[in-house]
Amino acid sequence: MVGDTQPFSWGRVFVTGGAGFLDSHLSERPLTRTPGLGAPPAGVPALRDVRRALPDRQLVLAAPPGLTEAAYATDAVDAVLPAEAPARTVPPLTHWPGPPPDPAIDLHVNGPESRDALAAPHPRRLLAHACPDGPPWRPHAHEREHRCAFLHAYGIPADLLLARPATPSPAPGAVVVHPGAASGFRRRTPERYAAVVRCLRAAGHHVVVTAGPGEDDLARSVAGHGGLRAAAALTGGLPFHELSALVAQASLVLSGDTAIAHPAVAHGTRSVTLFGPVSPRLWGPPPGSRPLALWKPGPPGDPHGGTVGARLRRIGPGGVAAACLASLRQAAPRTRRRGAEATRVH
């Protein structure tokens, strides 16, 4: 029942969550499902909140095989159940091994697809928005508020923040520029990112460029055209702990609406995120936080389309550079010299 704050006494938990999701479960274990390791902003922190609420349980994550290493690196997962499906659809979870999970926890959003997938292992108890006794869904609430309200409704304390990693950052204090994204609709041209990099360098900032899978050439292009040394392009795929440390210890993270933006929110790192087809109102950084979302209102677009969206193209590099430099000045007003601060917003 919603609002039941009695201590959890189940053995296994199963947690799950949507396309690009994180799933974890404990029979005698719970089963939990949450969105991707990077996104949305509350995915990994919510999983760690479940972990703290169930310290003596086995937490198993159902996730695409490619996320196995990252899942273990969260320090919240005891085992991984491989699960994936094409076209960002919810994968079946009928291959759950052993006794039924208890409980199954759906950290997705409000969709019945996640709930139904979690119901397949016949959990002793299913915690989900889409259940008849689940907490009410507020369609216009920020994603972060959804996660907190959902966990609180089931007696799980939630803050949705990530602790500072113990791993050293490969570039402490740097401005991290991440030009990639999973779809072309959310990916600006490397020339525009390079223009911002040049402004940041002219203002005296240390800049590094990161790359996602298959994006090494993109990172090298941005670094090269931005006037950076080759070593400033952190290619080859950083291990999860190093990437988390890089974001947590960065002076600022600049990216599109993609995975790396969300750990910046969870770590409290200053960031500038460029939104295109989807408004940041529901999926962007919480209002009043250090992260800043830039976007241009207009007709909605397909966030998984193949070419850069019209609204994203309307955010000029001068405006992006000005936003980055303004945020950096707030962090250290006496340590930056003049230069790109004069760039006109257009």
Side-chain angles (χ1 to χ4, degrees):
M1 178 178 295
V2 175
D4 180 2
T5 57
Q6 296 299 314
F8 287 90
S9 59
W10 310 292
R12 268 190 176 179
V13 181
F14 191 8
V15 184
T16 161
F21 57 83
L22 263 152
D23 286 49
S24 79
H25 58 268
L26 299 175
S27 176
E28 286 170 344
R29 308 193 258 194
L31 162 60
T32 310
R33 180 157 190 260
T34 140
L37 288 163
V44 173
L47 186 63
R48 288 185 173 177
D49 287 332
V50 172
R51 169 81 285 169
R52 285 192 293 268
L54 302 165
D56 300 325
R57 302 294 183 268
Q58 182 188 21
L59 192 62
V60 185
L61 183 68
L67 291 179
T68 298
E69 180 183 356
Y72 283 123
T74 66
D75 295 326
V77 173
D78 297 306
V80 173
L81 178 70
E84 60 183 341
R88 301 179 67 84
T89 56
V90 177
L93 300 172
T94 53
H95 57 302
W96 166 265
D102 189 6
I105 307 175
D106 186 1
L107 292 177
H108 189 206
V109 280
N110 196 34
E113 297 84 2
S114 284
R115 177 203 61 201
D116 293 345
L118 275 171
H122 305 291
R124 297 176 186 175
R125 187 184 185 194
L126 178 58
L127 281 59
H129 273 296
C131 285
D133 66 343
W137 176 258
R138 296 176 296 165
H140 302 297
H142 190 276
E143 177 65 16
R144 194 177 185 85
E145 296 175 18
H146 282 308
R147 295 274 187 263
C148 281
F150 176 81
L151 294 174
H152 286 158
Y154 288 110
I156 302 175
D159 58 26
L160 301 187
L161 296 175
L162 291 175
R164 190 179 182 90
T167 304
S169 167
V175 175
V176 176
V177 176
H178 187 86
S183 69
F185 209 98
R186 292 178 284 129
R187 191 185 309 126
R188 287 162 61 87
T189 63
E191 293 78 15
R192 286 196 161 197
Y193 274 110
V196 177
V197 169
R198 290 194 295 271
C199 289
L200 292 168
R201 288 186 62 249
H205 294 282
H206 174 207
V207 182
V208 297
V209 183
T210 54
E215 296 175 345
D216 284 358
D217 288 344
L218 173 61
R220 293 189 186 101
S221 175
V222 171
H225 288 92
L228 300 175
R229 295 179 300 169
L234 304 181
T235 57
L238 291 176
F240 186 85
H241 277 118
E242 283 192 33
L243 181 62
S244 183
L246 176 70
V247 170
Q249 299 176 42
S251 58
L252 182 113
V253 174
L254 168 64
S255 74
D257 175 20
T258 191
I260 198 171
H262 304 306
V265 174
H267 281 302
T269 302
R270 295 181 184 275
S271 64
V272 173
T273 306
L274 313 179
F275 281 78
V278 178
S279 165
R281 183 174 60 85
L282 299 181
W283 295 91
S289 61
R290 282 182 170 184
L292 174 66
L294 298 184
W295 81 300
K296 299 289 186 179
D302 178 8
H304 310 299
T307 58
V308 62
R311 284 192 289 173
L312 192 57
R313 289 197 301 269
R314 289 166 54 198
I315 305 175
V320 176
C324 291
L325 291 164
S327 182
L328 289 162
R329 279 197 302 268
Q330 292 174 7
R334 297 181 181 178
T335 60
R336 309 303 178 201
R337 65 178 190 270
R338 292 185 178 180
E341 290 91 336
T343 304
R344 294 181 61 84
V345 177
H346 56 83

